[in-house]
Each structure stands twice: as C-alpha cells, then as structure tokens.
Amino acid sequence: MSFFDQIGRQITQGVDRAKFEAEKFQRTTRLQGEANELRRQVDGKLAELGQRAYELQRAGQISSASINELATAIDQLRSSLVAKEEELKQAQSEVFVEPPAPEPTRPAPAQQVPISYDPPPPTPPSTKICGVCGFQMPASAMFCPNCGTRVG
Ligand SMILES: [Zn+2]
C-alpha cells in the first residue's frame, strides 16, 4: 500500500468513525431517554400502588405489619410536613421591625409670654469670704485673689 493510499484510508476510516460515533451517540441518547421515561412510569405506578395499599390498610381491607409500618411512617411524615409548612408560613410572614429610633431633638416649645410679668428678684452673686484676709470673692474661686490662700 502506497503512502497516499494509507493517508486516504485513514481519512476514510476517520470519517466512518466520526459518523459511527455520531450515530451511536444519537442512538444511546434516545434509548436513555426512553429508559428514563419507563423508569418514571414504574415509579409512578409504584406510588399509585403505595397509595392504594395505604388506603386499603387504613380501611382495614388488608392487614400487613410491614404495610402498617409504612403507613404509620407516612402519617408521621405528613404531620411533620404540616408543621413545617406552618413554620414556613410564619417565617415568610415575618417583617423587618425597625429598631426604635432615638427621640428626635425637638425644639423647645415656644415660651408663653405672660401678659403681666414680675421679674424675679435678682439673685445675689454667690460669693465667699477668704478665711485669712476676709476678702470677698466669687464662690467658684479656688484661691483668694487678695492673699493667695487656697479657698477652693
Ligand atoms: Zn485672702
């Protein structure tokens, strides 16, 4: 076989192979889909059978310990489901509550101006007397301004 014949043969094989792989992929994908559909139907019928067995067990028409066990487990799961759905409904209805805002600083209410107004008597400035020199000074003074004695 010549060199070129070999190349040609490889190309032909490549095309055949690509075609084969494409057709295989198509075929397996279709079969996979059909198998999945049949499996889904089996599951559906099993669920129906289970429902029927549950009803017959509850109606007392069949008596089977294992079916009774399954029916009891289903009842428990259903009551858990009801409680969970109630909890979910509660959680969904919760609303954000704003934290209490600090009291806004309101302006002081306008002072009512009295019609007749007696001014309060002037309060005498609070003073104190230096114990050393007798100097009168403001009560807030720490030292006597006259003699320097500590008075605060
Ligand atoms: Zn003094």
Side-chain angles (χ1 to χ4, degrees):
M1 189 182 290
S2 76
F3 174 76
F4 291 106
D5 284 346
Q6 266 187 8
I7 297 281
R9 193 175 141 83
Q10 279 170 3
I11 289 172
T12 305
Q13 277 178 346
V15 170
D16 287 348
R17 183 179 183 136
K19 194 181 167 200
F20 170 81
E21 293 293 351
E23 282 174 358
K24 179 183 170 185
F25 178 77
Q26 203 174 18
R27 193 169 64 252
T28 55
T29 302
R30 176 175 54 79
L31 289 169
Q32 185 71 66
E34 287 170 359
N36 287 346
E37 173 58 21
L38 287 169
R39 193 176 292 118
R40 199 187 60 75
Q41 288 182 25
V42 168
D43 288 347
K45 286 296 170 197
L46 275 173
E48 264 182 59
L49 176 66
Q51 180 66 40
R52 190 81 191 108
Y54 177 91
E55 288 164 4
L56 289 172
Q57 173 78 22
R58 283 288 177 255
Q61 293 181 26
I62 53 172
S63 178
S64 158
S66 59
I67 289 179
N68 186 51
E69 205 176 297
L70 285 167
T72 303
I74 287 170
D75 286 345
Q76 285 169 353
L77 285 169
R78 278 182 176 152
S79 80
S80 295
L81 177 61
V82 168
K84 194 61 70 180
E85 281 174 340
E86 189 56 41
E87 198 182 331
L88 173 64
K89 213 188 292 175
Q90 288 273 325
Q92 282 171 334
S93 67
E94 279 175 14
V95 291
F96 181 73
V97 177
E98 291 280 348
E103 278 291 312
T105 51
R106 273 176 295 191
Q111 290 285 341
Q112 294 238 335
V113 178
I115 296 168
S116 74
Y117 177 64
D118 292 325
T123 50
S126 68
T127 57
K128 60 186 172 187
I129 305 293
C130 174
V132 176
C133 69
F135 188 83
Q136 192 179 31
M137 68 200 102
S140 60
M142 296 293 284
F143 296 93
C144 171
N146 187 48
C147 70
T149 301
R150 186 183 174 95
V151 292

